[in-house]
Amino acid sequence: MLSAILGLSLLALTLAALLVWVARRFPADSDPLVVEIETLLPQTQCAQCGYPGCRPYAEAIAQGHAEINRCPPGGTATIQALADLLGCEAKPLDESLGEEKPPLVAIIDEASCIGCKLCIQACPVDAILGAAKRMHTVIADECTGCELCIPPCPVDCIDLIPAPQVASLPNALKRAQRIQMQVRA
Amino acid sequence: MSDFNNDIGQQLHRFHGGLQLRHYKQISCTESPPFIAVPKQLVVPLQQHAGLIAEPCVEVGQRVLRGQRIASAQSGISAHLHAPSSGTVSAIEARWVHHELRCQAVIIDCDGLDEAVALTPLNGWTQSAPESVVSHLQAMGVVGLGGAVFPSAQKIHQSLHQEQNIHTVILNGAECEPYLSCDESLMLSRPEEVIRGAQILCHAAQAQQVIIAIEDRMTEVEKRLLQCIKTKNLSHIQVVQVPTYYPEGGERQLIQVLTGEEVPSGGYPQDLGLVCFNVATAQASFKAVEHGEPLIQRLVTVTGQSVQHPGNWWARLGTPVDDLLRAAGGLQQAVDRIVMGGPIMGRCLIDTQAPVVKASNCILALSNAEVHDPQGELPCINCGFCVRVCPARLLPQELHWAVRSQQLDRARDYGLMDCIECGCCDQVCPSHIALVEDYRLGKHQLRVQQQEQQRAQLAKQRYEARQERLQQHEAALAARRQVRKSPASKPLDAKARIAAALAKKRQQKAAQQATNTTPPTSSDEDRS
Amino acid sequence: MSQGQTPSLQVGGAPHLPPPRSVASIMREVLYALIPGILAHVWYFGPWILFQLLIACTFALLAEWAMLKLRQQPLKPFLSDYTAVVTAVLFVLCSPPLMPWWVSAIGMFFAIVIAKHLYGGLGQNRFNPAMVGYVAVLIAYPQVMTQWLPPQMLFDELGLRSLDIGQGLWIILTGTPPEALTWDTISQATPLDTLRQGATKNLLINEIRVSPIFGQFGGWGWEWIANWYFLGGLWLLYRRVISWQVPVAAIATVVFLTLPFFLMDPDAHPFPMQHVFSGGIVLGAFFIATDPVSGSSTPMGKLLFGVGIGLIMLVIRRWSAYPDGVAFAVLCMNMLAPLLDRYTRPRIYGHER
């Protein structure tokens, strides 16, 4: 009896020591799950999820603090990808945070801009260019369409327009898509 | 890599797969093609070339002359457009080119005078630098006329500015698709112009030799080209007959047949020291350089079972297809669809008012009987016929499954981006699956996906950079606060600071009122 | 046509000309290629196979119809594609000619319902339906599936009684011979069975081959049927319905693996041609293993597929309880086909050699 208890304890201790040594010897470089989650997020940095950016949201998901359905720009596709990665059920998008929209870019009505710099401070990806009392402009290629610049603007001179696509989907391909839907249904 | 390979064309090679198709070519191959009269109205779409759409440089109501530039190339891959005849610009509006392309078009109401601008040939091009020939071709709006409509000037420009020198220019006269005969007809009727064009392109690309590849059934063409080469005593131009085997006319397959080498995946023929042009492009280059004529007309094959008298016609760009069909004796009732291009890769037209564009090598009116498919689509039975004929050595059925199940990564892994959309797999598929449509959808989705990933990557980088900058800023502020809190620095009186700030503000306002009359000249300031 | 009057034009994706071939036309060609072999079968073994074909095709089409109904699939395109007929014909050509009708029905149930439709129907079946059906009844009715008739011409020589039409139909309908007959008086072991039994008794090949059921190089009659299958196969090759890799690899494997044994000891091992022309290897190599759906589709994969079939078949012939192993070999290789496809992808144009 005693020898059994001692033996098992010894075994547990040895294994624990081994585990500690392995953990010290081969440290995990960064939390890989966070990185994997982050690559699935659209990097809009819009903070609609309630976290200040995509990285914080990814961290929150990884720690189990956040649901996976809080990313309106990513929409259904992102939720599905996250569900696949984390092995959980895909949920419908939390509509209270925003709705899924086609990709947008901000555009500043340059005639009404007063050069207040508020939008520049709000932009999470530094895609607005301008100086105090000078007209501002949006670098369309770098804008993520996060809408964060809209509320601060005192003169409402920022609009969102559909982002330019690679190429519009050729008509003939719509047929193929229709077939695809039939196949999936 | 060998710099200059003199044996090109001496020994022919084979490419994988391909199809022996009935070519239906004799029916429309005439010796000297007639001209179609200038119509009452010309529709010149601004997207007639690969790359970015041209920007119109005329206004509605403006009078334009034949050969006058009406739209300018954007920076990047793009080409100029010229007025095909004189008249008044009546509108600039969206028009259908074919069923997948609707774009802005310049509508010209012709006055029937066909008045031309002063033509500017590039005299003495043999002595001029290759760059000046290239920029002349760009100014004349010359694009590849084989179907891909890639701007020729930019093709040569790229090859002049790369490490690998171009040693051979290949002129592609092998129309592999059935029905097409415009290139054969061009070489029969104007062999000198093709040969002169070949010399110009050879000079512009700084190549040592030219190979004109024609199909082995074109014996008469060979005779005329050789005679022309002989009288001009051009030893660096040779004519090579290649087997009539679809898709022989595809650039990559033709190169494989002539050289036995394969163009690297994602690369260009230029990587092998080769550059390919269609024979019609050579003729257009000749016209542009020696006569100063911009690309405003092209040779079009009008054929198909629904056409009474098939043949080739010279048509101004922008001419409605209807005029060509009438020249060919009109349509028969049984017409099912009208295709721009060949039957394997062509695009359908929405109606007969669609204009002739730079890519319109063929107008094909197919009858119900030709198109009728009693079976319809069945599931893939993995028969492997497509594997046998694919010239890119892909596994088309795997790509089909991957795209249909939206496994895009798998499709890319199986080489979806290496598909040349030749349609061989489609032609042999016993289940009659629209394979190429699947591939085009998959490719499109892959491109969108890739672009999104790039955008996300960029946004992430910029977000991280900003976070870092904000942190540094914060740290600097904290450090300053630390310094201020220390007894050595005495804080200013708060009221005095506010007063100072207000005074500064007033000053600024006054200054701004003064400058308001003159708007800021530069809006882009250094943002870094 | 006058100006302004625009005909209504169809719009569709390229290519615009329909492919010349269809699933039905391919399957029809396979059936045509089997006709000489079937006629030879009738010549040597009597007309029973024609009844069997009728029975099996009926059940196959019934099963197909029922499953299409259940799966709510369109009936016309799938019933008229001849795939079920080809399955039924191949099943019958593997089975003994006097098998009772319910065996055929059960075989077709396994082939069409289980192997084909439960896997997703046309194009989705992982296993060759005809072989699944055959193996199912082979395991369920081992007795019935080994009751083969000798060639008609050898009845007298073997001291057996010949059947008339009524007696043969009686057997097919009831499963037992009419009162005047017993199985022993009408059936005969196949050449392959005879070889196996002889080998277990340590007889020499020449001693075994004295039986009249052996012909020039294979079984008497069987070798000629195989020749006709061979001819049909060549025609399919010429028409490019099948590719050369599978039949060539399978037959070459059989020949090259048995040749050394034959050369070492011709007394204990049969001549390679004996292997090829008895049993189902020719039929299997040209018609069964070339089933596209369940086979490999890359050129290299097809070669390996054929080699595997030859190999497994010989192993089964040599060491297992079954005299012939084509069916099992095909099913085994069907399992490997996706793997073969995955690891034998051809080099894509323009990629590194």
Side-chain angles (χ1 to χ4, degrees), chain B residues 403-471:
Chain B
V403 174
R404 285 276 167 106
S405 58
Q406 284 293 292
Q407 293 173 293
L408 292 179
D409 290 336
R410 185 180 162 88
R412 180 170 34 207
D413 186 35
Y414 272 91
L416 181 58
M417 291 323 248
D418 289 298
C419 168
I420 57 168
E421 300 177 22
C422 64
C424 284
C425 48
D426 242 312
Q427 271 301 291
V428 297
C429 180
S431 294
H432 299 200
I433 302 169
L435 293 166
V436 174
E437 273 187 36
D438 281 359
Y439 304 153
R440 295 181 60 210
L441 174 74
K443 280 176 160 183
H444 176 82
Q445 288 173 325
L446 269 180
R447 276 193 285 262
V448 170
Q449 198 186 48
Q450 198 185 1
Q451 199 200 29
E452 269 171 15
Q453 276 165 0
Q454 279 169 356
R455 277 186 82 104
Q457 194 57 36
L458 179 74
K460 194 180 150 198
Q461 276 170 12
R462 295 185 67 79
Y463 173 73
E464 279 166 1
R466 180 183 144 96
Q467 288 310 96
E468 203 180 313
R469 197 190 67 222
L470 289 180
Q471 266 167 20

Side-chain angles (χ1 to χ4, degrees), chain B residues 112-346:
Chain B
L113 302 172
D114 206 18
E115 217 175 311
V117 289
L119 299 177
T120 52
L122 187 68
N123 293 319
W125 56 267
T126 43
Q127 308 307 319
S128 52
E131 274 83 5
S132 61
V133 180
V134 170
S135 53
H136 190 77
L137 290 177
Q138 170 77 3
M140 294 293 123
V142 177
V143 298
L145 294 177
V149 283
F150 191 87
S152 305
Q154 273 149 357
K155 198 189 247 183
I156 307 175
H157 184 79
Q158 280 172 7
S159 39
L160 285 176
H161 293 86
Q162 63 169 16
E163 277 177 39
Q164 171 80 35
N165 285 327
I166 298 296
H167 54 73
T168 305
V169 170
I170 295 177
L171 279 201
N172 188 347
E175 295 155 310
C176 49
E177 283 215 50
Y179 288 105
L180 269 70
S181 65
C182 56
D183 291 348
E184 183 181 4
S185 171
L186 180 77
M187 288 185 284
L188 278 176
S189 56
R190 304 184 172 196
E192 298 87 10
E193 296 185 4
V194 172
I195 298 287
R196 294 287 283 169
Q199 286 178 278
I200 292 168
L201 291 173
C202 185
H203 173 68
Q206 294 287 289
Q208 285 99 321
Q209 63 170 348
V210 179
I211 290 174
I212 305 181
I214 58 172
E215 289 171 27
D216 51 8
R217 49 175 196 85
M218 301 178 179
T219 41
E220 182 62 27
V221 170
E222 190 195 23
K223 214 164 77 190
R224 293 195 190 181
L225 288 176
L226 284 180
Q227 194 186 359
C228 194
I229 292 170
K230 208 170 157 192
T231 49
K232 288 188 196 295
N233 197 16
L234 301 167
S235 58
H236 67 296
I237 300 183
Q238 39 171 324
V239 179
V240 177
Q241 287 187 323
V242 293
T244 310
Y245 207 67
Y246 184 79
E248 187 87 73
E251 190 175 76
R252 284 160 192 252
Q253 277 58 47
L254 186 62
I255 286 173
Q256 197 177 8
V257 167
L258 290 174
T259 68
E261 286 183 70
E262 293 180 3
V263 179
S265 172
Y268 297 95
Q270 285 94 312
D271 299 337
L272 298 176
L274 304 163
V275 61
C276 277
F277 295 101
N278 187 272
V279 286
T281 317
Q283 193 264 347
S285 309
F286 160 79
K287 282 281 184 193
V289 171
E290 296 216 335
H291 295 190
E293 279 179 25
L295 180 56
I296 53 166
Q297 62 181 6
R298 70 157 298 148
L299 196 55
V300 186
T301 304
V302 184
T303 183
Q305 275 191 3
S306 294
V307 166
Q308 308 243 340
H309 311 293
N312 288 289
W313 280 271
W314 284 100
R316 299 283 169 91
L317 301 180
T319 308
V321 164
D322 205 30
D323 285 17
L324 276 86
L325 292 171
R326 257 184 293 137
L331 279 180
Q332 289 165 352
Q333 285 297 335
V335 64
D336 177 272
R337 58 182 71 182
I338 297 180
V339 175
M340 186 189 105
I344 315 269
M345 293 178 80

Side-chain angles (χ1 to χ4, degrees), chain C residues 6-323:
Chain C
T6 347
S8 71
L9 297 179
Q10 295 294 313
V11 163
H16 304 285
L17 302 177
R21 281 193 158 156
S22 62
V23 175
S25 78
I26 290 177
M27 294 301 155
R28 273 202 306 269
E29 290 199 47
V30 172
L31 291 175
Y32 296 153
L34 283 169
I35 288 176
I38 293 173
L39 291 180
H41 204 290
V42 171
W43 174 257
Y44 286 107
F45 294 99
W48 320 117
I49 191 162
L50 298 178
F51 297 115
Q52 296 290 0
L53 287 174
L54 198 70
I55 293 169
C57 288
T58 313
F59 281 117
L61 287 172
L62 268 176
E64 181 92 8
W65 174 83
M67 285 314 283
L68 288 172
K69 271 277 178 204
L70 272 174
R71 294 178 56 220
Q72 297 172 344
Q73 298 278 312
L75 293 176
K76 190 168 171 285
F78 289 107
L79 277 179
S80 59
D81 65 9
Y82 291 93
T83 47
V85 177
V86 170
T87 300
V89 170
L90 290 175
F91 169 80
V92 167
L93 293 183
C94 295
S95 310
L98 287 180
M99 130 187 99
W101 62 270
W102 62 84
V103 176
S104 190
I106 290 169
M108 283 302 99
F109 173 81
F110 271 92
I112 303 291
V113 177
I114 301 210
K116 189 175 179 187
H117 280 283
L118 290 191
Y119 278 81
L122 177 65
Q124 305 291 324
N125 46 298
R126 194 59 272 153
F127 295 99
N128 187 322
M131 289 303 101
V132 170
Y134 173 73
V135 164
V137 295
L138 182 66
I139 292 170
Y141 299 94
Q143 199 70 47
V144 173
M145 294 307 279
T146 46
Q147 279 159 345
W148 289 86
L149 290 179
Q152 288 178 332
M153 299 76 186
L154 299 179
F155 276 129
D156 293 340
E157 210 172 325
L158 292 167
L160 298 173
R161 296 187 52 187
S162 64
L163 293 166
D164 60 33
I165 294 273
Q167 288 168 324
L169 281 179
W170 178 268
I171 297 179
I172 293 175
L173 286 176
T174 64
T176 49
E179 291 195 8
L181 297 164
T182 60
W183 274 115
D184 289 342
T185 58
I186 50 169
S187 76
Q188 171 72 34
T190 60
L192 275 177
D193 268 329
T194 317
L195 264 180
R196 287 176 65 79
Q197 285 156 11
T200 48
K201 289 178 207 151
N202 281 326
L203 291 175
L204 297 181
I205 292 293
N206 286 338
E207 290 168 346
I208 303 168
R209 280 187 60 99
V210 291
S211 167
I213 56 167
F214 290 98
Q216 296 292 319
F217 36 87
W220 206 95
W222 289 107
E223 57 195 17
W224 280 102
I225 296 174
N227 276 340
W228 289 112
Y229 287 146
F230 198 88
L231 212 66
L234 288 183
W235 188 68
L236 286 186
L237 272 180
Y238 165 73
R239 297 283 302 156
R240 309 207 75 187
V241 171
I242 59 174
S243 21
W244 60 270
Q245 284 97 337
V246 175
V248 168
I251 293 176
T253 307
V254 171
V255 171
F256 285 110
L257 279 182
T258 51
L259 191 64
F261 291 98
F262 171 74
L263 291 179
M264 272 192 305
D265 191 358
D267 285 335
H269 299 281
F271 183 58
M273 280 301 146
Q274 165 94 37
H275 269 291
V276 174
F277 282 95
S278 50
I281 188 74
V282 174
L283 180 71
F286 280 100
F287 291 91
I288 299 172
T290 51
D291 167 40
V293 182
S294 53
S296 174
S297 54
T298 63
M300 194 59 191
K302 282 176 176 166
L303 271 178
L304 293 175
F305 190 82
V307 168
I309 284 177
L311 198 72
I312 297 175
M313 197 212 62
L314 281 180
V315 167
I316 292 174
R317 275 192 187 179
R318 181 70 188 78
W319 284 292
S320 86
Y322 290 98

